Amino acid sequence: MIVQTKSLYVGYAHASGDCALLEDLNLSIDESEIIALLGANGSGKSTLLRSLAGMKSILAGQLFINGKDTRTFSGEEWSRNVGMVLARTPDTGSLDVYGLIALGRIPYTGLFGRLKDDDHRIIAEVMEQMDLSDFAWRKVAELSDGERQRVMIARALAQQTPLVVLDEPTAFLDLSMRRKMAAKLRELAKEQKHSFVLSTHEIDLALNSATRFWIIGRDRAFYDIQSSVEAEAIIQSEFGV
Amino acid sequence: MNRLSQQYTAQRRKSFLLIFVLACAVPVLFLLDLFLGSVSIPFSEVVTVLTGGTSEKEAWNYIILDTRLPQSLTALSAGAALACGGLLLQTFFRNPLAGPDVLGISSGAMLGVAIVFMGGDLLGMHFSGSLSGFLQVFSAMTGAILVLVLVVFLSGVSRDGVTVIIGGLMIAYLAGALVNLLQHAAAREGLQQFVFWGFGSFSSMDLTSSLRFSALIIVLLIPSFFLTRSLNAWVLGPVYAQSVGVSLKKFRLGIIISSGMLTAIVTAYCGPIAFIGIAVPHLVRWVIRTEDHSLLLPAVVLLGAALSLFCSLITRLPVFETPLPLNAVTSLVGAPVVLIVILKQRHKGGFA
């Protein structure tokens, strides 16, 4: 088991009192799982993802990663345990594909960020996995949305974390790109033993590729379901689609 | 070693070449600054004086050791400091326009200095000698760092880079207005002192002070190099930087202190020097097209020193009877550079 939560509360901490978006979550993530996180905008998907990645402190309860309580985690420990991919690729300046993926190695490099042989080997590996080997010296800014998102995923993979969280990774991709991305994630989960949690609005895509579903319904009811048939029924009753 | 890592190494070699060329250019320009000036002194005489001998003319000794040498030292370190501060700010704000002058940091320092030069007159106090020097530096630093903290706060409120730049400009106008009010009320002597300071100059220090100044700059440059890794991570913005283990608080603080101190100290001693801080990072990024700060930082520091020595040389070319105002020269050199680089860069993508 990679991740386990015990009565986890996530949301916003205010001086006047905490505002929990999701309450009392008892969740777990196993090796090679792909978890689709579904819910309306503003239901707390991003907040949960950010809390799982250590970018947002949890309000109450416990979050264990690889059996360790994350309350004691340093920034560096977080960076070696959870990787992150966002919907929109930021401005990448004059970074080329190789240079951007190399940024995923930062948690393992020394003070000046010098890449060692090991780092080069891992970068070449993830480029191979994401079919980017021919793109190495292309500027990221000149790539298509789909190619760019593959680069961002490769960067997260280079970070070699057991868990990668993806916040609406397919939001800006066209339909065929979305399918390819989903297939790629399935392949990576199966062969490389990575686990993914991804938020999405693509219900069909989620139902076809995820191994587990976290659904945030009306009134922030939280469903943790493994069967896609059951998930579909809940989506139907909660969102009417 | 696989094929890709070999290509990676080969690409870096280009950047190393630039750094090497710059590392050679800096001493050459430094020497040119010593050999050339409004008074023409024979080559051999300059060498004699520099190697510890005395020249046949007393005036030449003085010109070389007390005018040209301190001026060159000051130009060298001030240029390196401003360029480094500019790079830190451009990367941090992820904005090609960020720089000490645009963000109002220079104006903050200017207000601090204006208060010392002219505010004292208003209160019937006049500072002189070393106390005045100390107050000048202290108030410039206070002004610069206050503005920088304000701008960083603005950047936290709004993630939009344009807001930060507009905020910085407005702070600059506000500080400028306060300076105007002070000028309006100031006595002649303080006003004159302030106006001359505003022209910018590398020649306000004697040899001892310029050595002290250079040592201080070197000490302040060192921490920036320890930010290399975080700067690289920051290229993708705060969220991705945090996800590879960069502590936002520490990094922010590091940037504020490093860039704030570097620009504040130079501004206090040499006046608000325009364009070196903005132009140099642009030029370097244009030539080596990388976002790797382990290459950018040394290149920027060296080019900053070189460009500033070059500008200093121009201000006192033999054809001019009195030295030109430094700021006029740095602007004449810097503004077209920024314009050309931005226009060329537009087609290639990237924010620098």
Side-chain angles (χ1 to χ4, degrees):
Chain A
M1 197 177 301
I2 294 169
V3 177
Q4 194 177 19
T5 72
K6 282 189 182 155
S7 188
L8 182 73
Y9 286 67
V10 300
Y12 295 93
H14 291 298
S16 52
D18 295 344
C19 168
L21 288 176
L22 299 170
E23 300 180 345
D24 197 20
L25 302 177
N26 294 290
L27 306 167
S28 64
I29 304 172
D30 283 323
E31 202 173 68
S32 296
E33 272 198 292
I34 298 182
I35 297 172
L37 176 57
L38 300 159
N41 282 338
S43 59
K45 295 193 302 286
S46 292
T47 307
L48 177 57
L49 290 181
R50 270 159 206 257
S51 302
L52 287 176
M55 308 247 176
K56 204 165 191 6
S57 35
I58 58 182
L59 298 180
Q62 282 167 300
L63 169 61
F64 295 93
I65 295 183
N66 275 332
K68 274 202 264 177
D69 192 332
T70 55
R71 267 177 302 193
T72 61
F73 268 23
S74 64
E76 197 186 294
E77 266 176 294
W78 276 114
S79 71
R80 290 175 187 217
N81 280 292
V82 188
M84 184 137 198
V85 177
L86 303 174
R88 210 182 271 281
T89 309
D91 206 336
T92 53
S94 57
L95 275 173
D96 53 31
V97 172
Y98 200 89
L100 195 150
I101 297 173
L103 294 179
R105 298 303 298 163
I106 285 181
Y108 306 92
T109 55
L111 202 51
F112 301 105
R114 236 187 103 83
L115 299 174
K116 295 185 209 65
D117 287 351
D118 245 10
D119 300 309
H120 286 297
R121 184 179 52 75
I122 289 158
I123 294 166
E125 252 171 48
V126 299
M127 287 181 81
E128 186 85 13
Q129 283 161 21
M130 294 307 293
D131 307 316
L132 289 166
S133 301
D134 298 331
F135 290 81
W137 313 114
R138 293 270 299 277
K139 300 290 175 200
V140 180
E142 294 162 0
L143 300 179
S144 73
D145 289 334
E147 290 161 345
R148 216 174 301 162
Q149 200 58 299
R150 258 152 64 203
V151 176
M152 296 314 284
I153 293 175
R155 187 207 65 96
L157 295 178
Q159 214 171 318
Q160 291 195 310
T161 55
L163 177 68
V164 178
V165 300
L166 306 94
D167 197 356
E168 299 190 29
T170 56
F172 295 96
L173 304 185
D174 62 31
L175 195 61
S176 81
M177 275 296 170
R178 283 173 192 175
R179 294 235 170 89
K180 277 187 201 158
M181 185 76 76
K184 189 43 100 180
L185 291 181
R186 271 203 305 270
E187 181 192 314
L188 288 167
K190 214 169 159 193
E191 288 168 14
Q192 309 294 327
K193 311 275 183 232
H194 282 291
S195 298
F196 300 99
V197 181
L198 60 129
S199 64
T200 180
H201 290 294
E202 253 85 50
I203 294 167
D204 289 338
L205 203 68
L207 289 172
N208 286 324
S209 46
T211 59
R212 188 195 283 269
F213 305 88
W214 290 350
I215 303 167
I216 306 171
R218 279 167 301 186
D219 307 322
R220 303 223 163 84
F222 197 96
Y223 303 89
D224 176 8
I225 294 156
Q226 233 164 342
S227 122
S228 58
V229 180
E230 240 178 279
E232 200 171 358
I234 287 170
I235 292 166
Q236 203 130 46
S237 72
E238 287 287 339
F239 307 112
V241 283
Chain B
M1 291 288 270
N2 55 45
R3 177 179 58 90
L4 289 175
S5 71
Q6 277 163 1
Q7 286 172 344
Y8 173 83
T9 317
Q11 286 207 335
R12 282 171 73 88
R13 237 171 254 143
K14 279 185 227 160
S15 309
F16 286 133
L17 183 69
L18 174 75
I19 293 173
F20 177 75
V21 169
L22 287 171
C24 297
V26 170
V28 170
L29 281 162
F30 187 78
L31 288 176
L32 275 178
D33 271 48
L34 293 177
F35 286 115
L36 298 176
S38 49
V39 179
S40 103
I41 303 174
F43 184 81
S44 58
E45 291 293 312
V46 179
V47 175
T48 314
V49 174
L50 285 179
T51 49
T54 33
S55 160
E56 49 190 77
K57 284 199 190 168
E58 185 55 32
W60 288 354
N61 285 322
Y62 176 79
I63 288 174
I64 292 166
L65 288 181
D66 285 308
T67 309
R68 288 189 191 169
L69 188 55
Q71 200 167 338
S72 309
L73 276 171
T74 310
L76 176 98
S77 0
L82 289 174
C84 178
L87 176 66
L88 295 185
L89 292 172
Q90 280 183 12
T91 302
F92 179 70
F93 288 106
R94 311 182 71 238
N95 192 311
L97 281 177
D101 11 19
V102 178
L103 294 175
I105 300 167
S106 304
S107 304
M110 196 189 291
L111 179 59
V113 171
I115 290 172
V116 174
F117 279 159
M118 300 183 293
D121 287 346
L122 293 181
L123 299 172
M125 291 185 287
H126 189 74
F127 308 110
S128 61
S130 61
L131 177 66
S132 154
F134 169 77
L135 281 174
Q136 187 180 326
V137 173
F138 178 77
S139 55
M141 296 254 289
T142 315
I145 287 182
L146 277 179
V147 170
L148 191 57
V149 169
L150 213 63
V151 173
V152 170
F153 171 74
L154 267 178
S155 77
V157 174
S158 157
R159 301 210 172 275
D160 179 11
V162 177
T163 316
V164 175
I165 298 290
I166 293 175
L169 275 176
M170 289 308 122
I171 294 171
Y173 281 128
L174 281 175
L178 292 175
V179 170
N180 277 346
L181 286 175
L182 276 169
Q183 282 175 316
H184 177 70
R188 237 185 84 201
E189 196 185 342
L191 184 61
Q192 203 176 30
Q193 243 183 324
F194 180 73
V195 168
F196 274 109
W197 174 83
F199 282 154
S201 163
F202 293 140
S203 53
S204 60
M205 281 181 263
D206 60 19
L207 187 55
T208 331
S209 321
S210 70
L211 279 170
R212 212 182 293 144
F213 174 75
S214 304
L216 188 62
I217 296 292
I218 291 171
V219 170
L220 289 173
L221 281 175
I222 293 169
S224 326
F225 284 84
F226 288 99
L227 292 172
T228 304
R229 207 170 74 132
S230 307
L231 285 164
N232 285 346
W234 197 262
V235 172
L236 292 181
V239 176
Y240 282 116
Q242 209 184 349
S243 91
V244 289
V246 174
S247 151
L248 301 192
K249 262 189 198 153
K250 276 190 209 158
F251 181 65
R252 236 178 230 140
L253 201 66
I255 293 285
I256 294 182
I257 294 176
S258 289
S259 62
M261 298 271 270
L262 284 168
T263 31
I265 286 184
V266 174
T267 310
Y269 281 105
C270 309
I273 292 170
F275 275 105
I276 302 251
I278 292 191
V280 170
H282 277 287
L283 265 173
V284 168
R285 280 196 154 114
W286 182 44
V287 178
I288 58 179
R289 310 265 303 138
T290 180
E291 299 292 343
D292 185 347
H293 288 74
S294 68
L295 303 169
L296 286 175
L297 262 174
V300 160
V301 165
L302 288 168
L303 184 63
L307 193 66
S308 147
L309 282 167
F310 175 74
C311 289
S312 163
L313 191 63
I314 291 195
T315 60
R316 50 198 183 75
L317 279 180
V319 288
F320 308 122
E321 282 184 6
T322 50
L324 301 177
L326 179 62
N327 256 330
V329 175
T330 55
S331 301
L332 282 172
V333 173
V337 162
V338 174
L339 204 59
I340 291 169
V341 170
I342 286 180
L343 287 177
K344 291 227 165 196
Q345 205 80 346
R346 276 187 75 87
H347 312 290
K348 295 184 182 171
F351 57 79

